[in-house]
Amino acid sequence: MKVSRLANGSPEIFHTLQGEGPSLGAPAVFLRLSLCNLHCHWCDTPYTWNWEKTPWKHQDGVKFSKSEQIIELSPAEIAPLISHYNCDRLVLTGGEPLLQQKDLTHLTQLLPGISFIEVETNGTQVPDDDFISIPTQFNVSPKLSNSGMDESLRLNFAALRVLASTPTSFFKFVVCNQADLDEVQSLQKKLFLPSNRISLMPEGRDAETLHSRSLWLADICRDQGYRFSPRLHVLLWGNERAK
Ligand code: SF4
């Protein structure tokens, strides 16, 4: 499996608090997978996809060495690194984890101590029949125009409809302004999503930016029935990796 690699050479597997979405604040082990099929210009994990000699643009303007940022491990090698934390919640994140869903299916069969599995996904990949029943919760985060990605790449309605019809799926969106909110509401109608399955999050990679963008969004959530999600990990630890 292609796992994100930290500067010290270790795989990016860490014990922290879930920072976003409906289980915000819950202690969890995170496994960060490398690779993503999208290239959002504000992505906070560009080291999972923005390789040297690729044309993709990111707001930081930094490229990463693919060989330095990926560690290849088998599910059997990853499982004990997760179990070591003695925590019953696992969050599979990325990058885009569903690009490696067959290996993830295998991995989850090796984790008897895990009772709650969350999968973070950009909603462009259709979960296969084996994988779809595994997560206790999908956290689906379709990308809006503000990602800089073309709609034909960032919205796959075949995948989004499967995920929306899965009762354990919650949707979350990074919202910067009214135009973003209009896009969320258009998508909500197309997918027949109730507002209480949608979290709205401010965009920002430091506490000050997040706070300045939160008050407007909090009022909208209160008035229109959405969940408001801060980005707890950013508030607590800024943009630090493996937190
Ligand atoms: S889908 Fe997520 S991981 Fe992929 S580029 Fe966009 S923000 Fe980053």
Side-chain angles (χ1 to χ4, degrees):
M1 296 178 70
K2 292 182 170 48
V3 177
S4 177
R5 182 160 84 174
L6 295 167
N8 65 7
S10 307
E12 197 166 342
I13 298 170
F14 52 101
H15 191 207
T16 187
L17 304 175
Q18 171 58 286
E20 299 176 354
S23 44
L24 180 89
V29 179
F30 277 64
L31 168 62
R32 186 174 306 286
L33 282 309
S34 195
L35 308 183
C36 189
N37 57 315
L38 298 184
H39 314 114
C40 305
H41 81 102
W42 43 250
C43 176
D44 57 4
T45 56
Y47 49 83
T48 62
W49 55 266
N50 198 12
W51 314 128
E52 291 164 339
K53 299 185 182 158
T54 58
W56 306 319
K57 302 268 189 273
H58 185 271
Q59 64 182 16
D60 293 348
V62 178
K63 291 286 183 183
F64 296 88
S65 159
K66 190 173 183 180
S67 60
E68 285 177 10
Q69 296 294 330
I70 292 179
I71 181 166
E72 294 247 14
L73 296 169
S74 67
E77 289 171 312
I78 295 170
L81 303 177
I82 294 170
S83 302
H84 153 81
Y85 288 107
N86 201 23
C87 177
D88 67 354
R89 181 181 297 260
L90 172 65
V91 179
L92 303 172
T93 190
E96 174 46 56
L98 266 71
L99 295 177
Q100 302 186 64
Q101 57 180 300
K102 292 210 179 306
D103 282 327
L104 288 175
T105 299
H106 183 191
L107 172 64
T108 58
Q109 291 160 352
L110 305 175
L111 296 169
I114 297 288
S115 54
F116 201 103
I117 298 175
E118 297 184 39
V119 177
E120 313 267 352
T121 177
N122 60 27
T124 61
Q125 308 298 308
V126 181
D128 66 32
D129 291 345
D130 291 330
F131 188 72
I132 196 156
S133 59
I134 289 170
T136 324
Q137 182 176 299
F138 280 100
N139 301 322
V140 188
S141 184
K143 302 305 173 234
L144 305 177
S145 310
N146 65 29
S147 65
M149 296 300 303
D150 191 85
E151 185 173 327
S152 63
L153 297 173
R154 63 185 164 80
L155 296 181
N156 176 359
F157 281 93
L160 288 171
R161 287 197 185 94
V162 170
L163 291 163
S165 64
T166 304
T168 52
S169 291
F170 287 85
F171 282 65
K172 58 182 183 175
F173 297 90
V174 174
V175 171
C176 303
N177 53 38
Q178 184 61 46
D180 293 345
L181 186 61
D182 292 343
E183 276 187 61
V184 170
Q185 291 175 331
S186 167
L187 204 51
Q188 181 181 5
K189 278 194 194 121
K190 287 178 186 159
L191 296 174
F192 304 101
L193 282 171
S195 297
N196 64 9
R197 283 176 61 199
I198 296 177
S199 296
L200 304 185
M201 302 183 293
E203 195 272 329
R205 291 194 287 171
D206 60 77
E208 196 178 334
T209 307
L210 278 182
H211 181 70
S212 67
R213 294 175 176 170
S214 288
L215 298 175
W216 168 79
L217 195 56
D219 283 352
I220 286 167
C221 290
R222 179 197 59 208
D223 295 343
Q224 301 189 31
Y226 298 113
R227 294 163 180 253
F228 174 81
S229 175
R231 307 180 88 187
L232 185 63
H233 50 303
V234 178
L235 293 173
L236 291 174
W237 297 295
N239 202 26
E240 202 175 329
R241 276 180 77 169
K243 286 289 189 183

